[in-house]
């Protein structure tokens, strides 16, 4: 495995693949003007394939659950390299603000039950017992198997592990694969579509704004669980951090490559959060930011070979952190001539060629 591997993109997917490949003896170069930033730096950190599930997206659920099973070992291996990535096992509560939103949760609960997933229906009162500080929610679901990770601790840990394993970094920007020698992994997130013709119309940027807040003296602390909510049809999430901060996200809309934070986005997030967690209005607002997720045509990422020696690892949408372990393991398997995880098959970029033929 002495041939040099180039990974274009230094977000959570690129860094995870680089670390795993270098640990197997591969010489690795990560090309990114600002590694460990971008959408990965702004993520909420939810590792929640079950509460992200929706009818018709069974392959997404299957791939996400397989990666979730790999997360504890992934986190242990990363911590053994010297830095704890901040994995948390507090689970998720999904709550609804009004009767219409409760109907949304009914659909999700019935779907998950039909798939045999562990989900507990909650009354509003039961939800408030689990997460003190919640407002007058109509009901909810408790999903105990979901995990969460501190995205910034994770990225710091990955950078340290890559450095320990001899990964080299180039601050240049790849604009053509003609400039790259040896096998290459395209993991540049929303920008990956500019690097290969097959991905040109298949990967698009999806803007998302997030806020980070901190309770002031006298405020109730954040809930002990990740709280996902549907408020008048708009999804929001609140993810507690071990240092007491709370990550609130995320808007989602088509805006090209615009990364500015809008007043409308901040207002929508705060108004939605106030209805779910009224005490949040007294929290200190410590950060506002916007990032670009890499959307795909069908909610599945593109993980697999695009051509001889060129591999895609992009289009993960909201699931980049969740799917980092299974994506990295697939990349390492291909490079070593081994069989990747079965669940990765549905995410093969070859499906783009099939649609073109149709």
């Amino acid at each position: 495995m002495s041939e040099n591997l180039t990974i274009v993109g230094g977000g959570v997917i690129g860094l995870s693949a680089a670390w795993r490949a270098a640990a197997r003896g591969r010489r690795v170069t990560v090309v990114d003007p600002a590694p460990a930033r971008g959408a990965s730096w702004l993520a909420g950190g939810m590792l929640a394939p079950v509460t992200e599930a929706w009818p018709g997206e069974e392959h997404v659920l299957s791939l996400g659950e397989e990666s979730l099973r790999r997360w504890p070992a992934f986190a242990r291996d990363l911590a053994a390299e010297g830095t704890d990535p901040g994995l948390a096992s507090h689970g998720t509560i999904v709550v609804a603000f009004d009767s219409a939103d409760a109907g949304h949760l009914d659909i999700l609960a019935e779907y998950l039950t039909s798939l045999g997933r562990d989900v507990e229906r909650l009354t509003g009162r039961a939800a408030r017992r689990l997460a003190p500080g919640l407002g007058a929610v109509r009901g909810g679901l408790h999903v105990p198997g979901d995990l969460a990770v501190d995205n910034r601790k994770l990225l710091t840990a990955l950078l340290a592990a890559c450095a320990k394993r001899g990964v080299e970094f180039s601050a240049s920007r790849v604009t053509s694969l003609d400039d790259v020698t040896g096998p290459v992994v395209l993991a540049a997130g929303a920008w990956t579509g500019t690097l290969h013709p097959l991905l040109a119309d298949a990967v698009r940027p999806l803007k998302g704004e997030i806020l980070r807040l901190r309770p002031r003296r006298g405020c109730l602390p954040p809930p002990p669980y990740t709280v996902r909510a549907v408020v008048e049809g708009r999804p929001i999430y609140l993810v507690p951090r071990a240092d007491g901060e709370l990550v609130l996200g995320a808007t989602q809309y088509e805006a090209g490559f615009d990364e500015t934070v809008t007043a409308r986005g901040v207002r929508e997030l705060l108004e939605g959060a106030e209805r779910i967690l009224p005490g949040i209005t007294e929290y200190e607002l410590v950060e506002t930011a916007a990032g670009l997720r890499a959307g795909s045509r069908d909610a599945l990422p593109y993980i697999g070979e695009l051509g001889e020696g060129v591999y895609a690892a992009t289009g993960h949408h909201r699931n980049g952190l969740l799917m980092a372990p299974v994506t990295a393991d697939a990349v390492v398997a291909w490079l070593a001539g081994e069989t990747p995880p079965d669940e990765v098959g549905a995410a093969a970029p070859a499906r783009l060629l099939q649609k073109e033929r149709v």
Side-chain angles (χ1 to χ4, degrees):
M1 295 187 71
S2 61
E3 187 178 15
N4 189 70
L5 168 67
T6 299
I7 296 179
V8 183
V12 67
I13 297 296
L15 292 177
S16 297
W19 166 52
R20 287 301 205 193
R24 291 281 294 269
R26 177 77 63 166
R27 288 186 294 131
V28 183
T29 299
V30 173
V31 184
D32 192 313
R37 287 299 186 268
S40 298
W41 184 253
L42 301 177
M46 296 175 295
L47 308 176
V50 173
T51 49
E52 287 274 357
W54 198 248
E57 297 183 356
E58 287 73 21
H59 287 310
V60 180
L61 175 60
S62 178
L63 183 61
E65 287 194 308
E66 176 57 31
S67 199
L68 187 70
R69 285 190 286 270
R70 294 166 185 260
W71 248 105
F74 183 86
R76 285 195 300 271
D77 291 348
L78 197 49
E81 299 278 29
T83 307
D84 184 355
L87 185 65
S89 57
H90 50 236
T92 301
I93 296 177
V94 189
V95 297
F97 174 67
D98 58 23
S99 57
D101 299 329
H104 176 95
L105 296 192
D106 287 340
I107 295 172
L108 177 59
E110 290 172 6
Y111 172 59
L112 295 177
T113 300
S114 72
L115 295 175
R117 301 313 194 267
D118 187 15
V119 57
E120 177 189 359
R121 291 177 181 262
L122 300 172
T123 63
R125 181 175 298 178
R128 288 188 290 276
R129 282 199 299 268
L130 282 176
L134 289 180
V137 297
R138 293 293 297 265
L141 308 174
H142 179 215
V143 185
D146 282 352
L147 303 177
V149 67
D150 187 319
N151 59 311
R152 297 183 178 180
K153 286 184 178 180
L154 170 63
L155 290 167
T156 300
L158 284 169
L159 282 175
C162 284
K164 182 177 180 179
R165 294 292 179 173
V167 174
E168 296 183 357
F169 287 85
S170 170
S172 58
R173 186 182 297 277
V174 172
T175 57
S176 171
L177 295 185
D178 294 336
D179 302 328
V180 180
T181 59
V184 58
V185 176
L186 303 182
W191 287 267
T192 313
T194 66
L195 300 175
H196 196 281
L198 192 59
L199 299 176
D201 297 318
V203 179
R204 71 190 193 281
L206 292 171
K207 182 176 179 178
E209 290 147 322
I210 67 102
L211 312 178
R212 294 174 76 93
L213 303 102
R214 183 184 298 121
R216 299 186 301 154
R217 184 185 299 273
C219 293
L220 284 174
Y225 299 88
T226 293
V227 177
R228 297 177 62 91
V230 180
V231 180
E232 297 179 345
R234 292 197 303 266
I236 64 169
Y237 58 75
L238 303 99
V239 187
R241 293 285 189 252
D243 63 2
E245 283 194 353
L246 185 68
V247 179
L248 168 60
T251 59
Q252 178 176 298
Y253 49 95
E254 307 271 358
F257 288 92
D258 172 32
E259 295 181 79
T260 58
V261 178
T262 66
R264 181 189 66 180
V266 173
R267 184 188 69 237
E268 287 181 356
L269 288 171
L270 289 175
E271 285 181 347
E274 182 182 0
R275 295 184 180 186
I276 299 301
L277 190 71
I280 202 171
T281 56
E282 296 302 319
Y283 280 30
E284 176 189 0
L285 180 60
V286 296
E287 183 180 339
T288 64
L292 303 175
R293 303 182 183 97
S296 70
R297 290 179 179 173
D298 54 9
L300 265 174
Y302 304 112
I303 309 173
E305 192 167 10
L306 292 165
E308 187 173 352
V310 180
Y311 301 91
T314 189
H316 292 78
H317 197 191
R318 297 183 302 270
N319 296 312
L321 270 68
L322 168 64
M323 295 183 180
V326 74
T327 304
D329 289 346
V331 169
V332 170
W334 290 318
L335 295 171
E338 300 168 357
T339 302
D342 291 341
E343 292 79 6
V344 173
R351 71 189 190 273
L352 295 171
L353 290 173
Q354 293 170 356
K355 289 182 179 180
E356 284 182 3
R357 293 190 188 104
V358 174

